[in-house]
Amino acid sequence: MIYKYSTLPSVVLGFHSCDKETGLKVINGEEHLKPSTNDYDWLGHGIYFWEQNPKRALQY
């Protein structure tokens, strides 16, 4: 099946690189992800997620 951009599903899987303990605390509302504010952040300040690519998230 060929998808056109306008017909892609509305759910996007995004992966953030953190350890399991931190991830569970964020999911349970016990902690929040902290935006990166380094001068060298090539994407600017923020919290980064890699779309459908958990390996890339771990590399980053």
Side-chain angles (χ1 to χ4, degrees):
M1 178 176 270
I2 297 174
Y3 289 101
K4 294 182 181 179
Y5 184 76
S6 63
T7 61
L8 288 175
S10 61
V11 175
V12 175
L13 295 179
F15 297 89
H16 178 76
S17 182
C18 61
D19 60 37
K20 183 177 179 179
E21 181 181 345
T22 300
L24 289 172
K25 286 180 181 179
V26 170
I27 289 170
N28 290 320
E30 299 167 8
E31 286 189 13
H32 299 283
L33 295 175
K34 298 177 182 103
S36 179
T37 57
N38 299 309
D39 290 337
Y40 55 83
D41 291 333
W42 61 280
L43 293 174
H45 297 170
I47 300 169
Y48 305 118
F49 293 87
W50 294 96
E51 184 178 348
Q52 301 188 24
N53 198 335
K55 289 182 182 178
R56 181 67 173 123
L58 286 174
Q59 289 172 343
Y60 185 75

